[in-house]
Amino acid sequence: MDKICVIPGDGVGPEVMEACLEVLDATGVRLEYVRARAGLACYERCGSYLPEETLEAARESRACLLGAVQSPSDLRGYRSPIVELRKALELYANLRPFRCYTGRCLRDLDIVLVRENTEGLYSGIERVEEDRAVTERVVTRKATERIVRFAFEYALKYNRGRVTCLHKANVLESDRFFREIFFRVAEGYRVEAGEELVDAAALHLITDPGRFDVLVTANLYGDILSDELAGLTGGLGFAPSASIGEEHAVFEPVHGAAPDIAGKGAANPAAMILSGAMMLDHLGYAEERERIEQAVEETCRAGVLTRDAGGRCGTEEFAAEVVRNLG
Ligand code: NAI
Ligand code: MG
């Protein structure tokens, strides 16, 4: 039985996690859950946002499920436990598939965003001087080759015909470097390779999303565009993600702890449930992933929706309907 590290976290995290586990169990796949703690509540209890035993549990599991954690914006020296976890497990690829489940999204697109997750403007190499602040944007050959290869392998595995590199090579030398590596790696694959300036792509995602299939891009661009893509496809409540490395993987919704609606049973669990479905696929249960995605779609199209999506149902009711639709 695969061992899964389950980190519910803060705010709506535990609520959407319960919904997700219920759906995963209903597929019939047997998993061993090891519960672990991280986040603000954990810090208040044990003085750490990411205790060593959580890291250990994550390292010993085949995959992790993560709800969401709440981060303080005023604590000096604070480091996000999610960033720490990604570093500790060497999760270099952030994978975010976007599509419309409700039939009432701003755009009916189907796009997978692959984001470099270890460097770029989030290199952490920064200094604040008297009259200026500097952040180094680091783009290495190793990390770029790895993320581009990941995007093409993904396209091959899931029969996607085109990978587009988003960059700002007209301005940034570091992006010229990224772009050159992209086209060199692309030569080894029988998948169409394209490119677009990232600002133009931000516009085309709205006016002509059909031109895109798999996107591969640097850390900050991917961070920004994934919120745009979530907005176009029903909002944060429907956006799942995976952070993947050679040996480990963490599956989590794109959204945060949503303290404004926490504890009310009102959160949309779709993003967490869809993240769980991605995890099943990662473990070799591709068919179960598809079953869950179909059940979520059926649930939404029947009008069973949480408030963020214009409906009236609660977290548990939504999950129960997904389970029913799994058949
Ligand atoms: P957020 O994603 O928590 O919430 C943004 C808005 O979307 C809120 O109005 C919230 O109610 C709504 N929302 C989010 N998820 C929802 C869901 N499943 N169903 C219905 N509505 C949902 O982002 P925000 O407010 O910027 O951050 C809140 C806290 O979460 C902060 O402490 C932040 O640091 C943390 N955070 C954690 C993340 C993570 O764990 N991966 C990611 C983003 C933020
Ligand atoms: Mg973000």
Side-chain angles (χ1 to χ4, degrees):
M1 219 186 316
D2 289 315
K3 208 191 261 185
I4 307 301
C5 177
V6 174
I7 308 172
D10 301 310
V12 298
E15 300 170 47
V16 297
M17 184 64 78
E18 279 322 300
C20 172
L21 297 184
E22 198 186 314
V23 172
L24 293 185
D25 288 341
T27 63
V29 173
R30 298 200 41 218
L31 302 168
E32 182 191 345
Y33 302 126
V34 179
R35 293 196 176 245
R37 295 184 302 168
L40 184 60
C42 174
Y43 173 78
E44 283 166 353
R45 258 206 232 154
C46 65
S48 165
Y49 280 87
L50 185 67
E52 189 52 45
E53 62 255 35
T54 298
L55 268 178
E56 228 159 84
R59 283 203 188 94
E60 285 169 6
S61 305
R62 259 204 85 190
C64 291
L65 280 175
L66 180 76
V69 297
Q70 191 163 333
S71 299
S73 37
D74 52 359
L75 193 66
R76 278 190 65 186
Y78 169 83
R79 289 194 58 100
S80 158
I82 293 177
V83 174
E84 295 279 287
L85 192 63
R86 284 178 188 157
K87 248 203 194 120
L89 302 180
E90 295 176 65
L91 310 177
Y92 65 87
N94 191 252
L95 181 63
R96 298 181 173 186
F98 296 93
R99 50 174 277 218
C100 178
Y101 284 92
T102 61
R104 341 174 173 167
C105 305
L106 291 173
R107 291 291 175 271
D108 188 14
L109 50 78
D110 180 3
I111 290 173
V112 178
L113 182 73
V114 176
R115 162 185 168 195
E116 203 291 318
N117 221 0
T118 64
E119 52 180 36
L121 259 180
Y122 298 175
S123 66
I125 306 172
E126 308 191 274
R127 57 186 185 277
V128 180
E129 297 161 4
E130 175 92 22
D131 292 312
R132 61 176 206 155
V134 179
T135 298
E136 274 183 41
R137 186 173 195 271
V138 178
V139 178
T140 65
R141 181 177 305 281
K142 178 173 170 232
T144 307
E145 277 177 357
R146 190 169 63 174
I147 196 69
V148 171
R149 217 167 263 134
F150 182 94
F152 278 100
E153 291 292 335
Y154 182 92
L156 274 184
K157 181 170 176 202
Y158 293 95
N159 275 318
R160 290 184 169 261
R162 185 178 169 84
V163 179
T164 305
C165 174
L166 305 183
H167 57 69
K168 200 71 188 160
N170 55 338
V171 178
L172 298 175
E173 202 60 63
S174 49
D175 267 359
R176 244 162 259 153
F177 185 80
F178 189 96
R179 174 188 180 277
E180 266 168 38
I181 293 172
F182 170 81
F183 281 110
R184 196 155 322 123
V185 171
E187 285 169 12
Y189 290 90
R190 297 177 68 162
V191 174
E192 196 186 329
E195 63 176 317
E196 196 158 310
L197 294 175
V198 65
D199 45 347
L203 179 137
H204 288 139
L205 284 174
I206 295 169
T207 58
D208 182 24
R211 69 169 66 198
F212 300 121
D213 193 345
V214 175
L215 303 175
V216 62
T217 195
N219 215 336
L220 174 69
Y221 304 149
D223 194 0
I224 296 170
L225 292 180
S226 65
D227 276 38
E228 180 182 355
L229 278 159
L232 291 173
T233 50
L236 287 171
F238 292 99
S241 84
S243 295
I244 296 177
E246 300 299 341
E247 309 203 358
H248 300 281
V250 174
F251 299 82
E252 55 174 320
V254 172
H255 66 71
D260 52 334
I261 58 165
K264 297 181 179 155
N268 186 349
M272 184 76 238
I273 292 170
L274 294 166
S275 304
M278 290 174 78
M279 182 187 77
L280 290 187
D281 190 349
H282 181 77
L283 299 176
Y285 304 102
E287 214 170 285
E288 281 74 9
R289 175 201 187 152
E290 225 155 89
R291 278 177 63 211
I292 293 177
E293 289 180 350
Q294 269 168 20
V296 168
E297 183 163 3
E298 229 175 285
T299 301
C300 294
R301 301 219 173 198
V304 179
L305 295 164
T306 46
R307 260 171 261 164
D308 56 299
R312 300 158 165 238
C313 87
T315 310
E316 286 175 20
E317 198 184 336
F318 183 91
E321 191 61 22
V322 173
V323 167
R324 237 188 314 277
N325 286 326
L326 273 176

